[in-house]
Amino acid sequence: MKFVDSHCHINFPDLANDIDGLLSRMADNQVSHALCVAVNLPELPSVLELAGAHDNIFASVGVHPDYEDTPEPSVAQLVELAKTPKVVAIGETGLDYFRLTGDLEWQRERFRTHIRAARESGLPLIIHTRASSEDTIRIMREERADEVGGVMHCFTESWEVAQQAMELGFYISLSGIVTFKKAEELKDVARKMPLDRLLIETDSPYLAPMPHRGKQNQPAWVRHVAEHIAELKGIALEEVAAATTANFFRLFARAAQ
Ligand SMILES: [Zn+2]
Ligand SMILES: [Zn+2]
């Protein structure tokens, strides 16, 4: 049995300072690989360094929609950076109308830039959407994100939005939120999700799953997310592990090379 954490930020100093501990706890919990996701260009070197130093850590390239005062990437720049070994995706990108308000046209423009870069480099997208699903899906359609596909990470939207994303060839990734008591709608999404479209993640250092809620999260704990999904679906943990791991390497094909 093997699990993959499809989305974490272990380059953030609190986690990166204990990288050997993180890796050994991953091994103890049969978490074989983790994808360290970039959030901006100044911090990208720390992401690429981790992936370069550890066989089972992959990287992405992108600028998160929550960073307003940060260098804006161009399509050409993202495409160039994406050629770095171990980079398997473009992102995280997307829209977030929860954390930031006002005229967010710059977020939408940045999102379009990432989709164009993904299409040019042939890499899948890691998409973050919060309080913005209508615009997110609309822009994915307008920019032909279906040509490369990707994942809707840390999914917290409705089953309808999940279906729209899957129609565009996207996977749905569930985080520790699905283990929270009050996340009834999300638990329902988990029950309905076809196994062949499902990924699991921690989004470390955030969103530690039950029974560690409130603590600093780590990739090893993706196992709890899988356990909870298995329970909700009434299937064996091995089945969730096998499907989500196979899905990871199918979507992020460069990771399988
Ligand atoms: Zn995110
Ligand atoms: Zn993230």
Side-chain angles (χ1 to χ4, degrees):
M1 189 160 53
K2 271 197 312 192
F3 304 93
V4 178
D5 183 358
S6 74
H7 190 118
C8 63
H9 301 287
I10 51 175
N11 63 305
F12 289 5
D14 285 345
L15 289 169
N17 287 340
D18 180 32
I19 194 71
D20 292 336
L22 291 186
L23 292 168
S24 79
R25 287 188 293 278
M26 281 170 64
D28 291 345
N29 286 278
Q30 291 153 296
V31 178
S32 63
H33 296 82
L35 171 46
C36 184
V37 175
V39 293
N40 60 38
L41 296 178
E43 291 171 65
L44 181 62
S46 64
V47 174
L48 300 179
E49 234 166 79
L50 271 180
H54 304 281
D55 276 350
N56 59 340
I57 306 294
F58 300 108
S60 75
V61 164
V63 181
H64 193 293
D66 283 348
Y67 292 77
E68 188 169 8
D69 296 313
T70 197
E72 200 60 46
S74 67
V75 173
Q77 198 176 8
L78 290 172
V79 168
E80 195 50 40
L81 288 167
K83 291 175 185 163
T84 315
K86 303 290 290 286
V87 170
V88 299
I90 300 290
E92 63 183 287
T93 181
L95 302 175
D96 192 330
Y97 297 169
F98 182 81
R99 290 280 297 278
L100 296 172
T101 48
D103 180 9
L104 298 178
E105 184 54 26
W106 61 269
Q107 267 195 4
R108 293 184 283 275
E109 272 310 307
R110 185 185 287 172
F111 186 25
R112 290 182 194 277
T113 296
H114 281 78
I115 300 175
R116 289 169 194 168
R119 289 177 55 200
E120 203 170 315
S121 58
L123 290 177
L125 285 152
I126 299 170
I127 296 184
H128 168 112
T129 182
R130 195 156 179 214
S132 57
S133 62
E134 217 169 290
D135 280 2
T136 301
I137 296 283
R138 175 176 59 80
I139 291 172
M140 285 164 72
R141 288 195 181 118
E142 286 174 3
E143 297 290 338
R144 303 302 320 258
D146 59 313
E147 278 185 15
V148 286
V151 57
M152 305 300 283
H153 108 88
C154 195
F155 192 79
T156 52
E157 304 295 329
S158 65
W159 174 238
E160 284 65 39
V161 175
Q163 283 174 302
Q164 289 167 359
M166 286 189 280
E167 274 162 29
L168 291 168
F170 276 69
Y171 290 73
I172 305 292
S173 179
L174 296 177
S175 68
I177 294 176
V178 77
T179 71
F180 298 172
K181 217 173 178 165
K182 284 185 179 157
E184 261 320 314
E185 194 186 10
L186 193 60
K187 289 180 198 291
D188 204 46
V189 168
R191 286 186 198 100
K192 288 177 177 153
M193 270 300 296
L195 262 186
D196 65 354
R197 286 278 151 185
L198 188 63
L199 293 178
I200 50 175
E201 68 173 80
T202 59
D203 209 5
S204 314
Y206 314 114
L207 298 170
M210 297 290 280
H212 305 292
R213 191 172 179 179
K215 296 195 189 126
Q216 176 176 274
N217 203 356
Q218 55 178 302
W221 291 349
V222 79
R223 191 190 177 100
H224 297 295
V225 178
E227 283 168 354
H228 197 80
I229 293 170
E231 215 169 282
L232 288 168
K233 286 186 159 314
I235 59 177
L237 180 60
E238 285 79 2
E239 227 181 307
V240 175
T244 53
T245 298
N247 293 344
F248 179 89
F249 287 103
R250 192 183 323 114
L251 174 60
F252 301 110
R254 222 189 242 179
Q257 286 165 10

